[in-house]
Structures are given as structure tokens and as C-alpha cells.
Amino acid sequence: TYASIQSRNIHKDPDVYPSPHSFYPERWIHTNGGTKEMKDSFIIFSKGSRACLGQYVAIMELKFVVSALINQWRVAVATETTADVMRQTDYFLAFPRYRACWLVFERVGTLN
């Protein structure tokens, strides 16, 4: 018998992540990178022998992309992106109900 749980369910545990349904990235900053419980339960790439082989490359690429966005673009949520559109639907992997998140990008920097 196999038993498993989706990481989305663990990441929404209010005992570990206060106000889990709120966008509050400061929870990681104010706790010096997260409490022990937060770090232990953050399994976005899985853990153990079945962990994602590309997790470190993915994290590095995400840092590059976020850096480029912050330095060269102003990003805002489009008016079409409502709470109803972003309601999560779950078919093993969680994604927005309408499979879309519309954003507006305005260039503020120049490409180097």
C-alpha cells in the first residue's frame, strides 16, 4: 500500500505557515529564511530518492529570471486576473481554474 500527500496540502498547513492562503513572502524574511518547521515541510521539489534532479538548476534559473524582471520591468496583475480566475483547481498538480494568470509588463530598464 502506498500513501502519499500532495505538497500543496502540506504548504497550506496553518500550523506551519500562518495565514497560508495569503500572499505574505515576508514570513520567510522575518523568520531568517523560515522556521525549522517551514524548511522541513517545504517540499516543492520532493525529497529523498525521488527528489527532482534538476531542482538546483531550476532554482538558479528562477533567480536569474526574477532578477531580470525586477531590474527591467514593472509587473502588474491585469484586470482580467480576478480571484475567480486564480481559484485553484487540482488534478494531481494545482493550477489556476482557467489555467491562466494575466500580467501586464512595462519596460522600465534597458537590456544589457
Side-chain angles (χ1 to χ4, degrees), residues 95-106:
F95 51 85
R97 180 178 184 187
Y98 295 107
R99 298 182 183 184
C101 175
W102 295 286
L103 301 173
V104 176
F105 292 83
E106 178 185 349

Side-chain angles (χ1 to χ4, degrees), residues 79-89 95-100 102:
T79 56
E80 298 87 0
T81 303
T82 63
D84 182 54
V85 168
M86 293 305 296
R87 183 177 306 132
Q88 287 189 353
T89 302
F95 51 85
R97 180 178 184 187
Y98 295 107
R99 298 182 183 184
W102 295 286

Side-chain angles (χ1 to χ4, degrees), residues 17-103:
Y17 303 99
S19 302
H21 297 282
S22 299
F23 180 72
Y24 183 60
E26 292 83 5
R27 77 179 86 228
W28 294 93
I29 296 168
H30 296 314
T31 57
N32 195 25
T35 64
K36 180 180 181 336
E37 293 81 14
M38 290 167 67
K39 292 175 184 177
D40 289 346
S41 67
F42 190 69
I43 58 168
I44 194 90
F45 292 106
S46 192
K47 288 190 175 190
S49 63
R50 299 213 177 221
C52 175
L53 293 175
Q55 67 181 326
Y56 299 110
V57 173
I59 290 170
M60 182 181 65
E61 288 192 10
L62 283 169
K63 289 178 180 182
F64 284 133
V65 168
V66 170
S67 173
L69 283 174
I70 289 171
N71 287 317
Q72 299 177 6
W73 299 89
R74 182 175 295 121
V75 183
V77 177
T79 56
E80 298 87 0
T81 303
T82 63
D84 182 54
V85 168
M86 293 305 296
R87 183 177 306 132
Q88 287 189 353
T89 302
D90 194 352
Y91 296 107
F92 185 70
L93 295 175
F95 51 85
R97 180 178 184 187
Y98 295 107
R99 298 182 183 184
C101 175
W102 295 286
L103 301 173

